[in-house]
Amino acid sequence: MSDQNSDSVEYRGYLIVPKPLQAHDDLWHDGYQIWKAGVSISSRANTESAHATRTTAMDSSIEFAKIEVDNLAAMTT
């Protein structure tokens, strides 16, 4: 089952769990996991996108995950 937390977002039938990571340079990198029906569909970590705050990285992680969900949905229709 998914590791849903309070920051999770449901989008187009998928569950997005943002998981930004703090790098050695004190910047935050995007990270997320996408779930559907309790199964992990995709996971990304430590992307090239870097942010000064965790909050900004959370928002960015969700937006990147939504793009991936849109692409997944387009491939299945």
Side-chain angles (χ1 to χ4, degrees):
M1 196 74 178
S2 74
D3 57 347
Q4 184 174 358
N5 63 39
S6 63
D7 297 317
S8 299
V9 174
E10 289 190 39
Y11 180 71
R12 297 185 74 172
Y14 293 82
L15 179 68
I16 297 170
V17 181
K19 296 182 174 189
L21 302 168
Q22 191 169 23
H24 67 281
D25 54 5
D26 290 331
L27 294 175
W28 288 87
H29 295 270
D30 294 340
Y32 58 85
Q33 191 162 19
I34 299 172
W35 297 82
K36 184 162 185 156
V39 176
S40 178
I41 302 297
S42 179
S43 182
R44 305 278 182 247
N46 204 21
T47 67
E48 293 298 318
S49 298
H51 310 277
T53 67
R54 183 179 187 277
T55 301
T56 305
M58 292 285 286
D59 293 342
S60 180
S61 295
I62 291 168
E63 291 306 312
F64 274 111
K66 284 182 176 180
I67 292 168
E68 187 168 347
V69 167
D70 289 341
N71 290 334
L72 289 168
M75 291 184 347
T76 59
T77 56

